[in-house]
Amino acid sequence: MRTFLVPGLLWFSAIGCGLMAGLYYAFSTFIMTALGRIAPASGMAAMNAINVDILRSSFLPLFLATTVAAGLLAAAGALRWGEPGSLAMLAGGTLYLLGMFGVTMLFNVPLNDALTAAGDGGGSAEIWARYVREWTMWNHVRTLSSTAALALFVVALVQR
């Protein structure tokens, strides 16, 4: 059973990172651009609706499970230092934890919370413009981190 644990985590994490990278890429390349072009109140309402629905979808279990798996791979890479693929596992897991999960918790979620709190109050154009700019910038980081972690997990699979 133990023989299959690390390869199973690598496959799961590579696929999970790919799915996360694809979602973040879509937001970075066209969803936020489209939302940013519509009336601020409508954009804010749409993004708030997305933020509610995404937590009720299969996104959240995959988001959490991939984060846990990446953390386990980072630990396995550190504990199995010198074995084939260990550096790629450590780097991929650490990059995913910091660049995807850390950025989400430190930047994207607080921005989402602030957007929800803003409601339909005054100054929505200013609030919305700042939100789109900052949220998208941090989402680029999540996209790149997820993609790089995916590549590193594939490298670890090949090296093993």
Side-chain angles (χ1 to χ4, degrees), residues 6-94:
V6 170
L9 284 171
L10 282 167
W11 277 107
F12 176 80
S13 295
I15 293 166
C17 286
L19 290 168
M20 292 293 109
L23 175 69
Y24 298 144
Y25 180 78
F27 269 90
S28 281
T29 58
F30 63 88
I31 294 172
M32 293 307 290
T33 301
L35 290 176
R37 280 199 320 262
I38 62 178
S42 298
M44 290 170 73
M47 192 65 185
N48 280 327
I50 289 169
N51 288 335
V52 168
D53 287 344
I54 202 164
L55 297 178
R56 296 178 182 162
S57 72
S58 59
F59 166 83
L60 189 58
L62 181 65
F63 173 88
L64 294 172
T66 303
T67 300
V68 169
L72 291 172
L73 287 171
L79 293 172
R80 296 175 173 204
W81 192 251
E83 290 184 20
S86 63
L87 178 59
M89 289 190 305
L90 176 60
T94 301

Side-chain angles (χ1 to χ4, degrees), residues 51-155:
N51 288 335
V52 168
D53 287 344
I54 202 164
L55 297 178
R56 296 178 182 162
S57 72
S58 59
F59 166 83
L60 189 58
L62 181 65
F63 173 88
L64 294 172
T66 303
T67 300
V68 169
L72 291 172
L73 287 171
L79 293 172
R80 296 175 173 204
W81 192 251
E83 290 184 20
S86 63
L87 178 59
M89 289 190 305
L90 176 60
T94 301
L95 180 60
Y96 193 77
L97 290 174
L98 295 176
M100 192 294 297
F101 185 75
V103 165
T104 298
M105 295 297 112
L106 291 173
F107 301 105
N108 293 90
V109 168
L111 286 165
N112 290 345
D113 292 344
L115 187 68
T116 300
D120 291 331
S124 63
E126 185 178 307
I127 292 167
W128 180 238
R130 179 179 161 265
Y131 176 88
V132 169
R133 183 180 62 255
E134 291 181 14
W135 192 95
T136 303
M137 178 190 66
W138 289 113
N139 194 64
H140 292 337
V141 173
R142 299 191 303 174
T143 303
L144 294 171
S145 297
S146 298
T147 303
L150 160 64
L152 287 163
F153 292 145
V154 170
V155 166

